[in-house]
Amino acid sequence: MARIIDEGKIQRIREATIELVVLNGYGGASISSIARRAGVAEGYLYRFYSSKQELVTQLLYTKVAQIIEKLESLLNSCARISEVMVQLIGELFKMAVDTPEEIKFIHVLMHDYNFQVSDEQRRHIKSLVDKVVKTGIENGEVSKLVSAEEAYGMVIIYPIEFINLRMKGFFGSAQWTDEEQKRVAEFSINALK
Amino acid sequence: MARIIDEGKIQRIREATIELVVLNGYGGASISSIARRAGVAEGYLYRFYSSKQELVTQLLYTKVAQIIEKLESLLNSCARISEVMVQLIGELFKMAVDTPEEIKFIHVLMHDYNFQVSDEQRRHIKSLVDKVVKTGIENGEVSKLVSAEEAYGMVIIYPIEFINLRMKGFFGSAQWTDEEQKRVAEFSINALK
DNA sequence: AATTAATGAATGATTGTTCATTCATATTCC
DNA sequence: GGAATATGAATGAACAATCATTCATTAATT
C-alpha cells in the first residue's frame, strides 16, 4: 500500500467550500480560493468530487439530511408536536452557535434556483411534515385548516429565517437569548393553532 | 445634439439581468450573456452602471422599494392590519403572476449574504413593521407579545417564501387558486394573534 | 520496489471592464 | 431647403485576470 488518504484535507476542503460559498456565493467561491483556504493543491478535490457543482450539491444534501434526520427522530420520540418543535428549533439554534457557517450555507443555497434539494429528500420532508400535521390535529395542537406547506413554513423555514435575520443583524441585534429562542418556538407553535 | 438614448435598450438590460440572475445566480449571470440576451453591445451597460455589482444592487433596491411603498400606502389608507395584510399579499401574488422573474429576483438576492438591502431601506422597513405591530395591538388584532421581527416574518417573509415554494413546485403544485391566496393572508393574520 | 496520495503547472474558455471607433441625428450655416 | 458639422449614442475588439478542469510529475508510505 502507499500512503493513506488524509481525511483532514478532505474535511478542510468541505469547510472551506462552505465558508466561501456563504461569503461570496456559489459563483464567487472559486476552486483556487477553496484550495488555498483548505491548504491543498488546486486539483485535489477532483479526486473526490467530479465537479464544483457536485461538491457543493453533495455538501448541501449532507447538511439538509442532518436536519431531516433530527426531525424524523423527534417525531418518533415525542408525542406532542410542541415538543418536537421546541427540540428542533433548539437544534437549529445550537447549529447557529456551533457551526454558524453551516446554517448560513443551507440558508443561501435553499433559496438558490440552481440548488434544489434532491427529489428523495423533498419527498422525505413532505412525509415528515404530513406527519406533523396529522399528529398535531389528532392532539388538538394544530388547526384542521393547516396544510403541509404551512407546517413546513413554520417548523423549518421560519426558524431558519429568524436565525439568519439575526445573524445578518437585520433589525440591529446579531445574537439572541434563551428567552428569545423559546419565543421562536412558542410563536411557531401558536401559528399552527 | 446626437441621437436620443434608447430607453428600450436600458430596459432590456434590466430585464435580461433579472432573468439571468434568477436563472444562474449572480456569479452565473455574465455581462456577455446579459448583453446577448438584451440585444445590446457588451460594454453598453457601463454607460449607466459603473459595475455589474452596482447594476444588480440598483435593480434590487428598486424592486424592494416598490414593496415598501405599497406597504406604506396601505398603512396610511387602512385602519385594520388584516386589511393591510390582505392587500399586500394580494399585491405580492399579483407580482408573482405578472412578473414572476422579479419576485424570484428579490427572493434570491434577499437571501444572499452579498446583497443586503440598503441601510435606509432597512430602517424604513423597520419603522413600517413597528407601525404594523403598534396599530395591530391597539386594534386588538395583534398579540402584545409580537415583536417587529415576528411581524416582518409573517407580513413580508412568509408570503414571499410561500410564493417561491409554489413557483419551485416544492410540494407538487406550481400555481395557486384565489382561495389559497386568501388562506395565506388568513394564516399570516392568525399567526400574529 | 511498488503503490498511490498529493501536487501544481498548464489548458482553453470565459470573466468584467475599457475605449478607440462607428454611426445616427439635431443643429447650424448658406 | 439642403448640405456640412458637431455631438454623443452605441459598438465590439482587445485586455489582463481568473475560471474550472486535467494530468504528468513528485513524494510518502508499506
Side-chain angles (χ1 to χ4, degrees):
Chain A
M1 283 283 195
R3 50 181 154 163
I4 289 166
I5 291 180
D6 186 343
E7 289 291 338
K9 292 191 178 183
I10 309 169
Q11 192 49 36
R12 260 148 44 215
I13 288 171
R14 295 200 189 102
E15 287 165 7
T17 304
I18 289 173
E19 287 164 13
L20 287 170
V21 165
V22 169
L23 214 57
N24 305 321
Y26 175 79
S30 69
I31 297 293
S32 67
S33 68
I34 289 169
R36 204 181 313 123
R37 182 177 282 236
V40 146
E42 284 226 2
Y44 188 47
L45 68 90
Y46 289 93
R47 297 237 153 219
F48 311 97
Y49 302 96
S50 69
S51 68
K52 179 184 164 186
Q53 171 87 29
E54 203 211 87
L55 162 63
V56 173
T57 302
Q58 203 61 246
L59 285 170
L60 178 64
Y61 286 6
T62 306
K63 299 304 165 191
V64 169
Q66 288 172 11
I67 295 176
I68 291 177
E69 276 162 30
K70 186 70 193 173
L71 176 57
E72 180 151 45
S73 85
L74 286 170
L75 276 168
N76 287 329
S77 65
C78 305
R80 295 185 63 76
I81 294 304
S82 60
E83 186 59 21
V84 170
M85 288 172 73
V86 166
Q87 295 283 341
L88 184 69
I89 287 167
E91 187 71 17
L92 292 172
F93 274 87
K94 190 171 177 312
M95 206 172 156
V97 172
D98 297 344
T99 54
E101 300 313 306
E102 289 188 13
I103 202 157
K104 287 182 191 173
F105 179 77
I106 292 173
H107 183 249
V108 166
L109 292 185
M110 81 190 298
H111 295 96
D112 191 313
Y113 271 80
N114 296 299
F115 288 92
Q116 298 259 62
V117 158
S118 76
D119 275 356
E120 193 208 331
Q121 283 188 330
R122 180 165 40 178
R123 277 193 297 272
H124 198 167
I125 291 171
K126 180 157 178 6
S127 80
L128 294 175
V129 168
D130 281 341
K131 192 173 177 187
V132 168
V133 173
K134 187 168 170 289
T135 309
I137 291 175
E138 282 169 12
N139 284 352
E141 294 180 277
V142 169
S143 160
K144 285 177 186 168
L145 298 172
V146 166
S147 68
E149 273 165 318
E150 287 162 353
Y152 177 68
M154 295 316 295
V155 176
I156 309 276
I157 301 294
Y158 176 77
I160 292 180
E161 290 293 328
F162 180 91
I163 287 168
N164 277 279
L165 215 61
R166 274 296 167 100
M167 282 177 151
K168 281 191 179 177
F170 193 79
F171 278 142
S173 174
Q175 41 194 36
W176 52 84
T177 63
D178 283 357
E179 208 51 54
E180 284 173 319
Q181 182 182 322
K182 273 190 198 166
R183 173 61 190 158
V184 171
E186 194 187 312
F187 184 80
S188 294
I189 293 163
N190 180 64
L192 298 178
K193 279 203 181 118
Chain B
M1 286 281 197
R3 47 182 154 165
I4 287 166
I5 290 180
D6 185 341
E7 291 290 338
K9 293 192 178 184
I10 309 170
Q11 191 50 36
R12 259 148 45 213
I13 288 172
R14 295 199 190 104
E15 288 165 5
T17 303
I18 288 172
E19 288 164 12
L20 287 170
V21 166
V22 170
L23 214 56
N24 305 320
Y26 175 78
S30 70
I31 297 293
S32 66
S33 68
I34 290 169
R36 203 180 317 122
R37 183 178 280 237
V40 146
E42 287 228 356
Y44 187 49
L45 69 90
Y46 290 93
R47 298 238 152 221
F48 311 98
Y49 301 96
S50 68
S51 68
K52 180 184 162 185
Q53 171 87 28
E54 204 212 85
L55 161 62
V56 173
T57 303
Q58 206 59 248
L59 284 171
L60 178 64
Y61 286 6
T62 307
K63 300 303 166 190
V64 169
Q66 289 173 11
I67 294 176
I68 292 177
E69 277 161 29
K70 186 69 194 175
L71 176 57
E72 181 152 45
S73 86
L74 285 170
L75 277 168
N76 287 330
S77 65
C78 304
R80 295 186 61 75
I81 294 304
S82 60
E83 186 59 22
V84 171
M85 288 172 72
V86 167
Q87 295 283 341
L88 185 69
I89 287 167
E91 187 71 17
L92 292 173
F93 273 88
K94 190 173 177 311
M95 208 171 155
V97 172
D98 296 345
T99 53
E101 300 312 306
E102 290 188 11
I103 202 158
K104 287 181 190 174
F105 179 76
I106 292 173
H107 183 249
V108 166
L109 293 185
M110 81 189 299
H111 295 95
D112 190 315
Y113 271 79
N114 297 298
F115 287 92
Q116 298 259 62
V117 158
S118 76
D119 277 356
E120 193 207 333
Q121 283 188 330
R122 179 164 41 179
R123 278 193 297 273
H124 198 168
I125 290 171
K126 179 157 179 9
S127 80
L128 294 175
V129 169
D130 282 341
K131 193 174 176 187
V132 167
V133 174
K134 188 168 171 288
T135 309
I137 291 175
E138 282 169 13
N139 284 353
E141 294 180 279
V142 170
S143 159
K144 285 176 184 170
L145 298 172
V146 166
S147 68
E149 273 164 320
E150 287 162 354
Y152 177 67
M154 296 315 297
V155 176
I156 309 276
I157 301 292
Y158 177 76
I160 291 180
E161 290 293 327
F162 181 91
I163 287 168
N164 276 279
L165 215 61
R166 274 297 168 101
M167 283 178 152
K168 280 190 181 179
F170 192 79
F171 279 142
S173 173
Q175 40 194 36
W176 52 83
T177 63
D178 282 359
E179 207 51 53
E180 286 172 317
Q181 180 181 325
K182 272 190 198 164
R183 173 62 191 160
V184 171
E186 194 187 311
F187 184 79
S188 295
I189 293 163
N190 179 63
L192 299 177
K193 277 199 184 124

